[in-house]
Amino acid sequence: MGYHAGEAGYRRVCLALFAAGVATFALLYSTQALLPELAVAFRVTPAQSAWSLSVATVGLGVALLVTGPLSEKVGRTRLIHLSLTLSGLVGLACAVAPGWPALLALRLLQGVALAGLPAVATVYLREELHADTHARAAGLYIGGTALGGMAGRLVTGGIAEAYGWRWAMAGVALLGLLCAAAVGALLPPSRNFAPRAAGAMTLRAVTDPALLSLYAIGACAMGAFVAVYNAMGFRLTSAPFLLGAGAAGAVFLVYPVGTLSSAVSGRLADRYGRRAVMPFGCLLTAAGLLLTLPDRLPVVVLGLAVMTAGFFCVHGVASGWVPARAHAGGVPPGQAASLYLFAYYAGSSIFGSLSGTAWSLGGWPAVVTLALAFIAISGALAAGLRRMPALTAEPAAPMAIPGKLAGR
């Protein structure tokens, strides 16, 4: 039996994984607010500067294919602690990288080190918490990742404007290590983990239509989200806005909207079902993208906030749905979660990196068109999921038996 909402163990789990999400995504996206500075410092193009983010997500995505199945054998908490500590230390090394190739190599290594937490976080929640709290706890964890994304960008943008990009990278690395210490003090050891051999990938993990749709939704939604934020720094530091790095980085203050959105969408998914909530998140994301088109800073910021809320609704629901669907279908949840996150970060690396090319060719309208195309695919797949049968019996009324919603 897992921890119930209100119990001390439940609070410790949620706080620890919230802090872990902050650390992981602050470190992963630490270079995003620095792309214009990196382009100048290393004399590379805007598209090339985005490699500092893409190589990290590539390393993370590939490593997930190993860490997810490995966690079925060695346990969840060990990987979480190791991941947070190593990634913080590599972050300090990034701050003293002697050149562009060295920085890219270190960012690739940092992505590999970061893979331990995303691979097991939602699986750990499913194992250690009571079934009626799964979606809301996953939403809170995703909220931590949203706050981490904001913190990483704000810390680096603000410090870089005053002291340069190297001190900015060092600052976010120290933030990651502080969060790692907090997780070490708070996270309870696994009580319900049962080790199994880390064997070959279960066939159903790559043949179940619902899981495949969820993987693709993660890839496309993340590609759209990263494309927008990668290009936004260049847009805000160019005419007609001409903002400095610190002021441009301040737009990431909209990230708490994502924290709130993921938590609320988790509660709504527990109440009404994931199939009902995810399409709404896609529509909200598309509406936010359209709002960023005018050259008026308040409207652009509003559009980013709406888009961020929609994205974290989609991702929060999808990331909690994958292990639930996998468990109901007899798929090891760690494998399914790893595949979802592999697709998610592949979307970030491949689709997100296209924003530099879109920006160079057609400016902001081209970036928005690119992002809308990916969100349209996500929306179509989310609509298709509504017609796919659940793997567990669904109640007639959404609120009747919360535990029965696991396969939704």
Side-chain angles (χ1 to χ4, degrees):
M1 183 66 69
Y3 296 112
H4 289 265
E7 293 181 347
Y10 175 85
R11 290 192 294 270
R12 289 182 62 192
V13 167
C14 289
L15 286 172
L17 286 188
F18 185 87
V22 169
T24 299
F25 286 81
L27 291 166
L28 181 61
Y29 293 105
S30 57
T31 63
Q32 193 170 52
L34 302 176
L35 296 183
E37 285 71 25
L38 294 176
V40 172
F42 293 104
R43 298 180 181 178
V44 296
T45 67
Q48 290 171 329
S49 70
W51 294 352
S52 63
L53 178 59
S54 296
V55 296
T57 54
V58 166
L60 191 155
V62 173
L64 283 168
L65 298 178
V66 177
T67 54
L70 182 63
S71 74
E72 303 288 351
K73 182 177 181 179
V74 304
R76 321 298 187 195
T77 54
R78 185 183 302 175
L79 278 178
I80 290 173
H81 295 312
L82 184 64
S83 171
L84 294 175
T85 303
L86 287 180
S87 57
L89 293 174
V90 176
L92 290 176
C94 288
V96 294
W100 184 242
L103 178 61
L104 293 182
L106 286 168
R107 287 287 288 163
L108 178 67
L109 179 61
Q110 189 173 40
V112 172
L114 285 167
L117 174 73
V120 304
T122 56
V123 180
Y124 174 87
L125 289 174
R126 190 199 63 79
E127 291 173 345
E128 303 303 324
L129 302 183
H130 192 269
D132 65 5
T133 68
H134 287 170
R136 77 184 72 171
L140 186 62
Y141 161 66
I142 297 301
T145 69
L147 186 62
M150 180 195 74
R153 293 162 170 98
L154 285 177
V155 168
T156 55
I159 297 177
E161 188 165 21
Y163 302 107
W165 71 267
R166 293 187 183 275
W167 282 106
M169 295 290 288
V172 79
L174 291 174
L175 172 65
L177 290 172
L178 286 174
C179 288
V183 173
L186 287 170
L187 189 67
S190 296
R191 301 190 306 173
N192 302 313
F193 170 73
R196 67 179 81 188
M201 187 69 66
T202 302
L203 182 62
R204 192 176 180 91
V206 292
T207 58
D208 178 65
L211 287 176
L212 291 175
S213 293
L214 289 167
Y215 303 156
I217 287 170
C220 291
M222 184 57 164
F225 185 74
V226 171
V228 168
Y229 275 104
N230 275 358
M232 185 56 71
F234 292 100
R235 186 188 187 194
L236 295 180
T237 55
S238 304
F241 303 111
L242 299 175
L243 300 181
V251 300
F252 296 111
L253 284 168
V254 302
Y255 257 62
V257 175
T259 302
L260 178 62
S261 169
S262 59
V264 170
S265 62
R267 289 181 175 272
L268 292 175
D270 275 336
R271 184 171 184 178
Y272 299 111
R274 297 179 174 101
R275 297 165 190 267
V277 177
M278 185 180 287
F280 172 75
C282 294
L283 289 173
L284 195 62
T285 306
L289 287 169
L290 293 173
L291 281 172
T292 66
L293 284 170
D295 286 334
R296 296 178 58 192
L297 187 58
V299 179
V300 171
V301 173
L302 175 62
L304 280 177
V306 173
M307 183 203 72
T308 299
F311 167 75
F312 278 102
C313 173
V314 173
H315 174 46
V317 171
S319 63
W321 196 344
V322 166
R325 175 83 181 188
H327 178 70
V331 178
Q335 291 186 359
S338 293
L339 283 170
Y340 170 78
L341 289 167
F342 173 77
Y344 179 82
Y345 290 112
S348 173
S349 301
I350 300 170
F351 301 152
S353 64
L354 296 176
S355 63
T357 302
W359 170 258
S360 298
L361 293 176
W364 189 250
V367 174
V368 170
T369 301
L370 175 71
L372 282 173
F374 292 134
I375 291 301
I377 296 172
S378 295
L381 292 169
L385 282 169
R386 292 176 61 86
R387 298 187 294 271
M388 291 185 188
L391 296 181
T392 59
E394 293 181 335
M399 294 180 64
I401 309 173
K404 293 288 188 178
L405 299 177
R408 299 180 89 182

